[in-house]
Amino acid sequence: MLGSIPDLLRLVAVPVFGWAAYRDVKTRRVPNRTWTPLAALAVVLLLWDAYTVWTGPTAVGQRLFLIRVAISLGFVIPLSYGFWLIGGFGGADAKAFMLIAVLFPIYPVYYLPMPSVALPLQQTAIGVFSLTVLSNTVLAGVVYPLAVAAGNLARGRFSLAMFIGRPVAVADVTEEYGRLLESPDGFDRGGLDLDALRMYLQWRGCSLADIRADPAQHRLPTSLPAVPNDPGDGSLATDGGDSASGDVAEPSANDIGADGMDHPDQIDDPWGAERFLDDIDHSAYGTSPAQLRDGLDVLVEQNEVWISPGIPFLVPMFAGLVVSLTYGDVLFSLLQAVGLA
């Protein structure tokens, strides 16, 4: 395969994004150092292209280059940042798209060893390659809920959550990423984030099995450790701990009814949810005390729950990048097919 030196160097992004997608599936965490070398390369290649175009023979080519770079940097980067601000993207997702905007502002060209064939096959009129990666990523992401629904249908799993989730055993919940799709009142798309659950378990120094074994005791705020643990970030490396690792206080008479049993309606701050969220020095992924309490109430009552595993966004981004570099812009092709482009 032939191409300009900058375009060939840009292919380094493919294995990097492939590795990042793998990490996203396995841990939902991508180290910041992943992007630093590629970002430096992107800036160098952009300056290289700018010098080549600026010393070129035509003013038209210079204007087109500047317009396309301006759209890529001035639209895709703020868009990625905006989605991160509102919680639509994770930090790694936003950084990856910002990197795409700098690394691929215009279409690369790769010549195959056959006559008149160059990749990408389908280019757009506007010629901003980062927009092609963005649109292909969105299309790849749309396939995910359809695949989830098909898998649930094939297994005979029918629920309001079948298009966005799957059932898992409660005993395995702390080994999953995603969000509960259940509350004590039934189906709930705004259920407890499982990263926040792991943070809570780590903070109070117990496992979910400990809580399920004695929910009445653990529901009492006096059962919280006097000196809680660092909650971590909710990754699978911090999925709770030894119940003996914290300094746990005994319940007081004020938290137990006259019949010797605790009454959830009379407990101030059930599960210590407010204390947990007040104590940590950062947000637990936007979790509210009510979400945490509802999630724990579900997890101690059920043996199986529906969760939305969410889509590791770097996976469709990697797919979108590969499709963009080979086929080109799928959305543009579809619009052409129906006469809209």
Side-chain angles (χ1 to χ4, degrees), residues 217-277:
Q217 168 68 14
H218 286 86
R219 188 177 280 112
L220 300 174
T222 49
S223 69
L224 298 175
V227 181
N229 300 313
D230 183 339
D233 65 356
S235 66
L236 287 177
T238 54
D239 58 350
D242 185 350
S243 60
S245 63
D247 184 10
V248 181
E250 293 297 323
S252 69
N254 293 331
D255 297 310
I256 301 179
D259 56 1
M261 302 295 290
D262 67 292
H263 297 274
D265 294 340
Q266 299 174 11
I267 297 175
D268 181 30
D269 190 21
W271 302 109
E274 286 188 23
R275 180 180 163 189
F276 162 64
L277 294 171

Side-chain angles (χ1 to χ4, degrees), residues 162-181:
M162 64 182 295
F163 285 91
I164 57 174
R166 59 186 176 84
V168 299
V170 168
D172 298 328
V173 158
T174 55
E175 300 299 321
E176 300 283 348
Y177 284 106
R179 181 180 294 274
L180 286 182
L181 291 173

Side-chain angles (χ1 to χ4, degrees), residues 1-177:
M1 184 167 59
L2 301 176
S4 69
I5 294 176
D7 283 348
L8 291 174
L9 289 173
R10 287 183 171 95
L11 293 178
V12 172
V14 176
V16 173
F17 272 76
W19 180 83
Y22 172 80
R23 285 275 303 184
D24 203 15
V25 170
K26 291 296 184 181
T27 68
R28 294 299 199 277
R29 304 293 188 276
V30 179
N32 287 328
R33 63 180 180 274
T34 303
W35 312 116
T36 304
L38 207 53
L41 177 64
V43 172
V44 170
L45 296 180
L46 180 58
L47 293 175
W48 188 334
D49 280 342
Y51 175 79
T52 302
V53 170
W54 204 253
T55 57
T58 66
V60 174
Q62 294 169 1
R63 285 196 296 270
L64 282 175
F65 177 81
L66 289 176
I67 290 171
R68 288 164 178 167
V69 170
I71 292 173
S72 187
L73 303 185
F75 177 74
V76 176
I77 289 179
L79 180 68
S80 302
Y81 183 70
F83 270 106
W84 173 75
L85 282 178
I86 64 175
F89 280 171
D93 305 329
K95 291 170 187 173
F97 257 129
M98 291 177 186
L99 179 59
I100 290 289
V102 181
L103 189 61
F104 289 105
I106 61 174
Y107 269 77
V109 179
Y110 303 103
Y111 298 98
L112 298 180
M114 58 185 69
S116 304
V117 177
L119 303 178
L121 298 173
Q122 177 65 69
Q123 298 193 19
T124 63
I126 192 171
V128 179
F129 191 68
S130 59
L131 291 180
T132 289
V133 178
L134 177 61
S135 64
N136 284 344
T137 297
V138 172
L139 290 177
V142 168
V143 174
Y144 178 77
L146 299 178
V148 169
N152 285 326
L153 281 172
R155 294 171 177 81
R157 301 167 176 169
F158 300 98
S159 166
L160 291 174
M162 64 182 295
F163 285 91
I164 57 174
R166 59 186 176 84
V168 299
V170 168
D172 298 328
V173 158
T174 55
E175 300 299 321
E176 300 283 348
Y177 284 106

Side-chain angles (χ1 to χ4, degrees), residues 273-294:
E274 286 188 23
R275 180 180 163 189
F276 162 64
L277 294 171
D278 289 342
D279 185 64
I280 63 176
D281 59 2
H282 53 84
S283 170
Y285 305 99
T287 301
S288 68
Q291 284 177 313
L292 180 54
R293 290 178 187 131
D294 286 349

